[in-house]
Amino acid sequence: MGLLRTAAVRDGGAALPHGFWAAVRVWLEKPQVANRRLCGAAIEAEGTVPLGEGGEASPPLAAVRGGGSGGGREARAASAGAAELGRLWREVRGQLPAGHGHLPPPLTAWGGPGRRSELRAVLRTLLPRGRPGGPPAPPTKELAVQDVYNGTVTFLPLEENSEGKYQIKKCNIYQIQLTHVKDEEWSLSIVAPFPEDWFSDGIAYPKLAWLGNELLSKLAKWSVEQKPSEFKSTLSLISVAKYSKVYQNLKEKYKEMVKVWPEVTDPEKFVYEDVAIATYLLILWEEERKEKGLTKKQSFVDLGCGNGLLVHILNNEGESTIMPGDSHLFPDTDWLIGNHSDELTPWIPVIAARSSYSCCYFVLPCCFFDFHGKYSRRQSKKTQYREYLDFVAEVGSVCGFHVEEDCLRIPSTKRVSLIGKNRIYPPAECALIDKQITQYINNRQTCAVVMCDRRVGFNHKDHSDGLRKEAGSELPENETAGTTWMPGFQPREKVVQIRNCASLPRDFVDDVVLNVANLLLNATPPKSCSNMHGGNTNIWNQGESLSLKEVAEHLNKETLKRLKSEYGGLQTLLKNNHQVFEVLNGRVHIRDWRKEKPSRKTKPEVKRHLSAEAFKTRLCWFFIHHPDGCSLPSESCPYAHGTEDLRQSQVIKKKKHLQ
């Protein structure tokens, strides 16, 4: 009656039963990867609990997450966690419907012979996401009891009564079971003893059908496909509960910025990404103040590039920026931030180390740069991203930092941060570390460099806008000789020229497109294709295909000269005009839209949305210029057949609204 569903699992790689417990751990620690209405879970305490009458949890195995550093404090936290877990276990085990700590059928009973009568208990708090137009739902506590001997994990929802004691919400008890059938055959099941009384809040407890279908299928997949991740768990260095609360508050506070975003970039992505980074830093700094007994909020310098929103948010939340003078050393600054800091990324640990013994840093590497230019891969066994992160972490270690790594919860593929907030050497060894840094930088150079005065930072001009110091985009040339740590360092130009043919004059591009199209259409022999419109058969000239070299030979010298100054030249221009041309294997074809495949159902929702917004917002080139017109009828063509068929672009509407 209570069996929701069973999934057969074939284990050809000897992953089970260990893979099952790894999958359970994902569901315990990161439930949001399956249930998108949650933003995470906070593990409050965990440890072993007995099946007998005693109720104390085992202190060596109990732990409280989110505590500060320091052995004494961690030991006290673990002891307090064990005591809390033991008290909670005594309260709830007698409340089970069958009494005396026994589970109601059809759940698998706990326990086994000998020490297998011990269970592993995990107390977690489920953290809901924010709801549009209102505060997030209250968090939900849950006690998960793992029985390794029997291959089960039982989830006991908890409710706090008026006396501050927890009671089991019996209607929402459920159990995940692993069963070995034979050889490589296993099965996973989800069982709920009281399915008729199940209460779904749509957040922490979805409908039973979701548990039996979505959750079970994910657990089955994770159990046999668990691969060790290259990266740490998301938000592993801070409290997820605090993060959830602060993020929701900041998101609500700064949501109006999405409506008035002045840039051409996606406002939701960039606004909420910076809100998430600011949230992380605010909590990281709050916990640092507790660890070090500080009362004054930390100061920071943003050495990254970007729009300044991150600094604006941090300023508003009470943090202060230091406006640097004529040096890139910041002896009075607590933190250096490198948010997608590009060329400066490997230099930030160096600048922090040489600024002061107490200066810390936070970097979020994106583009791959070494000290002197683009980063060159050295290990093929790692991904380029993982290799670059290891390099930046190595720089931090050379600079004397204990480097910590964490994954941020941001809408980006590059979301791993590296943090240096503690030193691994005493202050008396600063000169020795500085010499070590110099030697390391010298060894990274591709050509011999005579090191000059290391104690003076990059010369720079003050480009502050009142909110931040933006040093990632531009570092001026030397004002005097012998003042850089690496004379061969090449900063990015103040204004980066766009050379992908996108900035060429429209009339120039139109002329090239028309000339190339006529060249293909007039080539012999022409390729003709049947075109059915309303039952009438027409011949539509598809033209001939020519190589890029053949096309270039028919263009005048001035046109070719102008195209050569762009990255990709003629090929890039033709590919940019994909409505008209198709470039395959070095040959140019007239695009036949009848042969284009319809959008697949697997196409991401964002791209489908953008495609729908762009429909009929541009004129059809073929309708205007092709001698046979468009190969598609108006209702099928994604482009407008005449001005009366033209829709106004949603982007244009948005810009007008902003004005």
Side-chain angles (χ1 to χ4, degrees):
M1 291 177 58
L3 178 65
L4 303 183
R5 192 184 174 196
T6 296
V9 179
R10 189 170 186 83
D11 178 24
L16 295 173
H18 301 293
F20 169 72
W21 294 111
V24 167
R25 197 69 200 180
V26 172
W27 175 234
L28 284 171
E29 295 183 346
K30 299 186 285 186
Q32 73 277 7
V33 300
N35 184 352
R36 304 302 295 174
R37 295 184 179 180
L38 297 173
C39 74
I43 305 298
E44 308 292 348
E46 60 180 305
T48 57
V49 292
L51 265 177
E53 293 302 318
E56 292 298 325
S58 174
L61 294 175
V64 174
R65 298 296 175 92
S69 60
R73 179 152 49 183
E74 281 190 358
R76 288 192 298 272
S79 178
E84 171 66 17
L85 200 60
R87 182 188 65 80
L88 181 64
W89 178 244
R90 288 194 301 272
E91 284 182 15
V92 303
R93 66 187 302 275
Q95 299 174 25
L96 292 169
H100 305 292
H102 299 298
L103 294 172
L107 302 185
T108 300
W110 286 327
R115 284 188 56 82
R116 295 190 178 95
S117 60
E118 281 191 336
L119 307 173
R120 179 93 182 160
V122 179
L123 177 64
R124 69 171 180 170
T125 300
L126 298 172
L127 306 169
R129 286 188 185 274
R131 295 176 291 189
T140 302
K141 283 194 181 295
E142 198 172 55
L143 187 65
V145 183
Q146 302 176 47
D147 183 351
V148 176
Y149 178 71
N150 290 305
T152 67
V153 54
T154 307
F155 291 84
L156 307 175
L158 303 176
E159 291 181 312
E160 192 172 7
N161 60 23
S162 57
E163 299 177 357
K165 294 186 177 182
Y166 287 104
Q167 293 182 319
I168 299 176
K169 190 176 182 178
K170 299 173 185 177
C171 61
N172 280 24
I173 294 175
Y174 69 97
Q175 186 181 75
I176 303 171
Q177 304 171 347
L178 173 70
T179 304
H180 187 203
V181 182
K182 63 176 182 178
D183 300 329
E184 297 178 352
E185 297 179 20
W186 298 71
S187 69
L188 259 65
S189 306
I190 294 188
V191 180
F194 310 109
E196 64 280 358
D197 297 326
W198 181 271
F199 174 75
S200 173
D201 61 4
I203 304 173
Y205 293 98
K207 294 181 180 179
L208 285 175
W210 183 90
L211 287 177
N213 296 321
E214 299 296 325
L215 178 59
L216 186 63
S217 64
K218 289 184 183 297
L219 289 170
K221 179 182 177 182
W222 296 339
S223 293
V224 293
E225 293 184 3
Q226 278 287 338
K227 298 177 181 178
S229 174
E230 288 186 307
F231 312 109
K232 291 286 188 71
S233 298
T234 303
L235 307 180
S236 62
L237 299 181
I238 62 172
S239 164
V240 177
K242 284 183 181 178
Y243 177 89
S244 175
K245 183 177 180 180
V246 174
Y247 176 76
Q248 296 298 340
N249 291 340
L250 293 183
K251 186 178 179 181
E252 179 68 21
K253 185 174 182 178
Y254 294 100
K255 66 180 181 181
E256 295 301 317
M257 285 202 168
V258 174
K259 300 178 182 178
V260 296
W261 190 244
E263 300 188 6
V264 295
T265 51
D266 180 8
E268 290 201 5
K269 178 189 185 301
F270 285 92
V271 171
Y272 293 141
E273 179 173 326
D274 279 359
V275 166
I277 297 171
T279 301
Y280 186 91
L281 287 171
L282 289 170
I283 295 172
L284 184 71
W285 293 343
E286 178 187 347
E287 294 183 355
E288 184 194 31
R289 291 195 295 271
K290 289 181 180 178
E291 290 174 15
K292 298 180 179 179
L294 305 174
T295 55
K296 184 180 178 181
K297 290 188 175 182
Q298 293 90 332
S299 58
F300 69 92
V301 172
D302 183 4
L303 295 176
C305 54
N307 49 58
L309 176 59
L310 172 61
V311 179
H312 174 66
I313 295 172
L314 293 175
N315 277 338
N316 283 358
E317 301 310 312
E319 311 300 329
S320 61
T321 51
I322 301 297
M323 308 315 300
D326 291 330
S327 170
H328 276 272
L329 295 179
F330 311 104
D332 299 321
T333 302
D334 298 315
W335 281 80
L336 302 184
I337 299 173
N339 176 20
H340 298 304
S341 44
D342 296 348
E343 289 94 338
L344 271 183
T345 297
W347 288 103
I348 288 177
V350 177
I351 298 171
R354 289 176 168 174
S355 289
S356 73
Y357 185 77
S358 60
C359 187
C360 309
Y361 72 88
F362 168 96
V363 291
L364 187 64
C366 180
C367 300
F368 307 143
F369 287 93
D370 207 321
F371 293 108
H372 50 78
K374 285 287 187 179
Y375 178 81
S376 298
R377 295 196 65 179
R378 301 186 179 189
Q379 298 183 38
S380 59
K381 293 184 179 180
K382 299 180 181 179
T383 64
Q384 186 178 16
Y385 184 42
R386 179 68 264 173
E387 182 183 336
Y388 185 68
L389 289 170
D390 291 344
F391 160 62
V392 178
E394 181 181 78
V395 174
S397 298
V398 169
C399 292
F401 288 96
H402 170 62
V403 182
E404 297 179 279
E405 179 179 305
D406 204 357
C407 281
L408 273 58
R409 191 172 290 173
I410 57 176
S412 173
T413 55
K414 306 292 196 309
R415 59 192 190 95
V416 178
S417 64
L418 296 169
I419 301 165
K421 65 175 182 177
N422 294 307
R423 306 295 175 103
I424 57 175
Y425 65 94
E429 295 182 6
C430 284
L432 181 64
I433 293 296
D434 188 67
K435 185 177 180 180
Q436 177 176 289
I437 294 171
T438 299
Q439 184 177 0
Y440 181 80
I441 294 174
N442 278 338
N443 292 339
R444 297 289 306 188
Q445 295 184 64
T446 56
C447 58
V449 175
V450 178
M451 288 302 293
C452 302
D453 182 5
R454 301 185 312 272
R455 302 314 305 167
V456 183
F458 298 116
N459 283 299
H460 76 283
K461 299 172 187 176
D462 194 346
H463 293 282
S464 167
D465 57 5
L467 289 176
R468 61 184 166 151
K469 176 64 193 173
E470 183 179 339
S473 301
E474 183 249 342
L475 288 174
E477 296 179 0
N478 301 345
E479 294 176 1
T480 58
T483 59
T484 62
W485 291 332
M486 177 176 284
F489 177 80
Q490 291 295 324
R492 192 187 313 167
E493 296 174 358
K494 186 182 294 186
V495 178
V496 180
Q497 291 184 333
I498 300 173
R499 292 181 177 175
N500 60 356
C501 296
S503 60
L504 289 172
R506 188 69 251 176
D507 57 349
F508 173 80
V509 174
D510 290 342
D511 285 343
V512 175
V513 169
L514 190 58
N515 288 338
V516 175
N518 286 331
L519 178 65
L520 298 175
L521 290 171
N522 295 327
T524 56
K527 290 183 179 178
S528 300
C529 298
S530 298
N531 183 22
M532 293 293 292
H533 279 185
N536 298 320
T537 303
N538 300 317
I539 301 300
W540 189 79
N541 183 9
Q542 191 180 359
E544 184 59 271
S545 74
L546 295 174
S547 68
L548 285 165
K549 181 180 179 182
E550 291 171 322
V551 172
E553 288 173 350
H554 286 81
L555 299 178
N556 62 54
K557 291 182 179 180
E558 286 299 318
T559 298
L560 290 175
K561 183 178 179 181
R562 198 165 188 178
L563 287 173
K564 283 182 179 179
S565 66
E566 302 289 319
Y567 297 132
L570 175 62
Q571 179 173 233
T572 298
L573 185 144
L574 297 177
K575 284 187 174 182
N576 287 353
N577 289 272
H578 64 277
Q579 180 194 165
V580 184
F581 303 109
E582 187 175 24
V583 182
L584 293 172
N585 301 319
R587 297 191 70 82
V588 185
H589 309 256
I590 293 286
R591 185 178 294 276
D592 187 350
W593 281 87
R594 295 168 301 177
K595 299 178 182 178
E596 293 298 308
K597 295 180 181 178
S599 299
R600 290 186 285 180
K601 292 182 179 179
T602 55
K603 194 173 183 180
E605 181 64 32
V606 173
K607 290 188 177 180
R608 288 201 301 269
H609 177 68
L610 291 175
S611 298
E613 282 192 350
F615 188 73
K616 298 288 187 185
T617 58
R618 293 175 59 193
L619 289 169
C620 176
W621 184 92
F622 296 101
F623 180 80
I624 299 171
H625 298 289
H626 195 284
D628 299 329
C630 182
S631 63
L632 295 175
S634 176
E635 60 270 17
S636 302
C637 182
Y639 300 94
H641 285 197
T643 55
E644 66 280 357
D645 195 26
L646 199 62
R647 289 175 62 245
Q648 188 176 20
S649 171
Q650 298 298 314
V651 177
I652 294 175
K653 284 182 180 179
K654 183 173 182 179
K655 286 184 178 178
K656 286 184 178 179
H657 174 72
L658 292 177
Q659 291 172 353

